[in-house]
Amino acid sequence: MFPTIREVLALEPVRSGAPRVVAGEAALDRRVRWVHVAEVPDIASLLGGSELVLTTGIGLPADNAGLRAFIADLAAVGVAGLVVELGRRYFGGVPRAMIAAAARHGLPLVELRRATPFVRVTEAVHALIVDAQLTELRATEEIHQRFTELSMEGAGPGEVVRQAAELSGCAVVLENLSRQVLAYDPAGGSAALLLDGWEQLSRRILPAGRTAYDVDNGWLVTMVGARGQDWGRLLVRWLGAGAATPGDRSDTPPTRLTILVERAASSLALGRLIRRDAEGLERQLHRTLLAALLDHSRPVDEVALRARALGVPLEGRHLVGVVVRYRADEPAPATSNEGGHVPGGGPLAGSVRLRELAEAVGHAVHEAQLTALTSALDDQTVGVLLALPDRSGEERALTAFVTALTRARPEVFPGHVNAQRDGGRSTGRTDPAGAAVIGAGSGVGSLREARRSLVEARQVAEAARRDRRNLPIYRLPHVGLAGLLHLLRDEPSLQTFVERELGALLSYDAKHPREQLLGTLRAYLDQGRNKSAGAVAAHLSRPAFYERLARIGRILDVDLDSVDACLGLHVALLALDAIRRPVAANVTRAGSEPVR
């Protein structure tokens, strides 16, 4: 906003005085905040910094030590420079002691070799400053107006970043708290150079404060977030006037640039809140409609009407139910997308990870350009009802959905990446299974049958949780025996079978909670009746494992070396898993509606 000494020397009233720089030429790009005329040696105590001091020298000390102290005092308070008019105290030039002291302190020292009315200099410089301030004010007003319009229009991050780059003329980057780039604009520069090694560079940019300038790296940075939760950083590249690298930087960012980056960050935060609130209301409507289909709480015609008004036509479409859920019920410690850490797991962590999964599913549906109702169905699952134009596009739509979801949450679906690279086919690889599974029901041709597809998808996803394969998406044929048992988990005959096969062992474990022989039996059967491998899986020594197996055999009165006996026990264990994990949406409290 303020002119530099170099610009002041180019003004007509100054040029008429035949200026000559005799010291501190390297600092001529210092900004001049004000011009002050002084003829007394102790003027430094009255200055605040960044002033250009004008003097004839008539009141300066006569000795060299006094001149050196005068220059040192000016440099200490941070004046921009010193201009000395010759002809009153000094005639051939300013004293060498003064030049040497100014050079030592890096203080610009200028001689005016002709008589110059100081009032003309101060008027010209102050007019320049005022004009620059008005220009800055207009630019600031444009910044406020531009970003207010963007906020009112609900502009996305990409548009906000583009406008920030256009207004500033600088490269702009929006990143999340993990230093991953969310949006950027190189401002006419090379995007490849801007983003090359970005994460490593970003981690070196550590400004002091919420909005601050990192001098060493040349980036102006501000935090982005609202309601006490930051979710990203907005960075503007500022090297200074004429600088090519941070080391060449000659000044710090102007005030308007700080205002710009803060207004842009506010627009980003507000836009995120608006989109989240709008999406939250939309998701509530989606959840209401999906719940209505599952529990028959509303007529199908009403669901179709409300869905159509929501922009999701369901009539005359091929409908496919999809359910996404985590393999483990226990909520692990999580970090939300807003940057808030939820330590120690527990219900809060569970709600955070479910919300994040629901957001990822909604984003994947949008990215795959699919029409669907999406919402959390219960405390563990997220449901999707795809509405496709016809049956022929079912596999293509599911593949696009899985690809988009894998791209959105690779840390949750790591096992799906290889399958996607192989065209969505199961490769038989033994990569670790992802943290979540995707189940799909059979496609149906009418909304009245949609419930069957959703229920089937939920049952498939539930049954697939223990599957060790890395299938991108599970269908009913994939879940085999576990899927069949899950479908039959409410049958009294299956429950009776479990009690007959495992009841004695379950009763024993209930009386001896520290032993838990059921886990030993599971390890033995899961390892294909290999006792050595079972002992390793159970974290027991082989003698201890063998002794436990013998005890299990006595309790159940079976021969654990018999293939038929072990087959029955294995089926009973799978059935027990299905029975012990009821779907939360089917559980009701006395005198209440189903839990949704």
Side-chain angles (χ1 to χ4, degrees), residues 279 283 322 324 356-372 374 382 384 386 396-410 413 438:
E279 184 177 353
R283 287 285 168 262
V322 179
V324 185
E356 292 178 343
L357 185 61
E359 289 177 351
V361 169
H363 176 77
V365 168
H366 177 75
E367 183 179 334
Q369 299 181 342
L370 299 172
T371 300
T374 67
V382 178
V384 181
L386 294 174
R396 184 169 59 253
L398 289 174
T399 299
F401 170 71
V402 174
T403 301
L405 187 56
T406 301
R407 189 158 47 237
R409 295 296 301 275
F413 301 92
I438 308 171

Side-chain angles (χ1 to χ4, degrees), residues 176-437:
N176 62 18
L177 297 179
S178 297
R179 306 300 198 269
Q180 306 303 307
V181 176
L182 303 177
Y184 70 93
D185 191 306
S190 170
L193 290 177
L194 176 66
L195 301 180
D196 184 37
W198 175 259
E199 183 177 345
Q200 290 74 24
L201 170 63
S202 176
R203 294 188 184 281
R204 294 197 300 269
I205 301 173
L206 301 172
R210 185 169 182 82
T211 301
Y213 182 59
D214 187 306
V215 178
D216 295 332
N217 294 287
W219 286 90
L220 177 63
V221 186
T222 190
M223 300 301 299
V224 183
R227 296 176 179 172
Q229 291 185 322
D230 294 329
W231 52 265
R233 298 199 308 175
L234 186 65
L235 302 95
V236 176
R237 181 69 157 164
W238 173 260
L239 296 177
T245 65
D248 298 333
R249 192 201 72 263
S250 59
D251 55 359
T252 55
T255 303
R256 65 173 178 81
L257 195 60
T258 301
I259 293 173
L260 183 147
V261 72
E262 290 182 338
R263 286 292 286 116
S266 297
S267 294
L268 289 166
L270 180 60
R272 185 181 178 96
L273 288 176
I274 292 173
R275 286 190 297 275
R276 170 160 290 184
D277 289 343
E279 184 177 353
L281 179 59
E282 183 179 344
R283 287 285 168 262
Q284 290 176 24
L285 294 173
H286 280 225
R287 184 168 189 165
T288 298
L289 296 179
L290 285 175
L293 289 174
L294 286 169
D295 59 22
H296 302 295
S297 60
R298 298 178 186 273
V300 171
D301 293 341
E302 182 183 342
V303 172
L305 180 64
R306 296 186 64 177
R308 185 167 63 250
L310 195 58
V312 185
L314 300 176
E315 295 170 304
R317 298 299 181 100
H318 182 69
L319 306 175
V320 182
V322 179
V323 166
V324 185
R325 66 156 299 144
Y326 287 97
R327 291 182 181 268
D329 281 339
E330 297 78 10
T335 301
S336 72
N337 284 340
E338 299 295 330
H341 183 63
V342 184
L348 182 56
S351 65
V352 168
R353 71 171 192 162
L354 182 66
R355 185 188 69 211
E356 292 178 343
L357 185 61
E359 289 177 351
V361 169
H363 176 77
V365 168
H366 177 75
E367 183 179 334
Q369 299 181 342
L370 299 172
T371 300
L373 293 176
T374 67
S375 171
L377 299 180
D378 51 57
D379 292 341
Q380 305 293 341
T381 62
V382 178
V384 181
L385 182 61
L386 294 174
L388 309 176
D390 52 62
R391 175 182 289 274
S392 62
E394 179 177 324
E395 290 302 322
R396 184 169 59 253
L398 289 174
T399 299
F401 170 71
V402 174
T403 301
L405 187 56
T406 301
R407 189 158 47 237
R409 295 296 301 275
E411 76 282 7
V412 177
F413 301 92
H416 296 168
V417 176
N418 288 333
Q420 290 299 321
R421 290 174 180 168
D422 294 299
R425 297 184 298 274
S426 174
T427 61
R429 301 180 187 180
T430 58
D431 297 344
V437 295

Side-chain angles (χ1 to χ4, degrees), residues 7-186:
E7 291 169 341
V8 169
L9 295 180
L11 294 174
E12 175 58 29
V14 181
R15 285 194 293 111
S16 66
R20 182 176 68 175
V21 180
V22 295
E25 188 171 2
L28 291 182
D29 287 318
R30 285 182 180 177
R31 299 287 176 177
V32 176
R33 182 177 59 83
W34 203 247
V35 177
H36 197 88
V37 179
E39 298 295 352
V40 292
D42 59 347
I43 188 64
S45 62
L46 303 177
L47 301 177
S50 297
E51 295 94 349
L52 182 63
V53 178
L54 308 182
T55 183
T56 62
I58 58 175
L60 296 186
D63 60 306
N64 290 340
L67 290 176
R68 286 193 290 269
F70 173 69
I71 294 295
D73 290 343
L74 292 181
V77 297
V79 299
L82 175 64
V83 177
V84 180
E85 182 192 63
L86 303 181
R88 293 179 183 270
R89 172 72 180 276
Y90 307 117
F91 295 94
V94 297
R96 292 183 178 180
M98 184 182 293
I99 295 175
R104 184 166 59 254
H105 290 284
L107 178 69
L109 177 59
V110 181
E111 294 177 341
L112 294 178
R113 291 169 289 174
R114 297 197 195 106
T116 305
F118 283 172
V119 65
R120 292 181 57 199
V121 175
T122 57
E123 285 177 348
V125 175
H126 291 168
L128 196 62
I129 291 173
V130 171
D131 185 61
Q133 288 175 328
L134 289 175
T135 302
E136 189 82 358
L137 184 61
R138 294 188 191 101
T140 301
E141 183 179 359
E142 182 184 0
I143 289 169
H144 282 293
Q145 182 176 353
R146 186 81 64 92
F147 286 110
T148 298
E149 291 174 354
L150 290 174
S151 299
M152 297 298 292
E153 293 170 359
E159 179 62 17
V160 173
V161 168
R162 188 188 71 79
Q163 293 282 0
E166 179 181 311
L167 288 170
S168 66
C170 306
V172 181
V173 177
L174 173 65
E175 65 177 13
N176 62 18
L177 297 179
S178 297
R179 306 300 198 269
Q180 306 303 307
V181 176
L182 303 177
Y184 70 93
D185 191 306

Side-chain angles (χ1 to χ4, degrees), residues 560-580:
L560 292 183
D561 291 326
S562 168
V563 174
D564 290 341
C566 288
L567 176 60
L569 292 173
H570 197 190
V571 172
L573 278 173
L574 292 176
L576 178 64
D577 290 338
I579 293 169
R580 279 182 167 177

Side-chain angles (χ1 to χ4, degrees), residues 486-507:
H486 185 78
L487 293 174
L488 298 175
R489 70 186 184 281
D490 293 326
E491 291 293 327
S493 57
L494 183 65
Q495 297 169 9
T496 301
F497 169 74
V498 171
E499 286 301 314
R500 184 174 64 248
E501 293 290 316
L502 299 174
L505 190 61
L506 293 172
S507 297

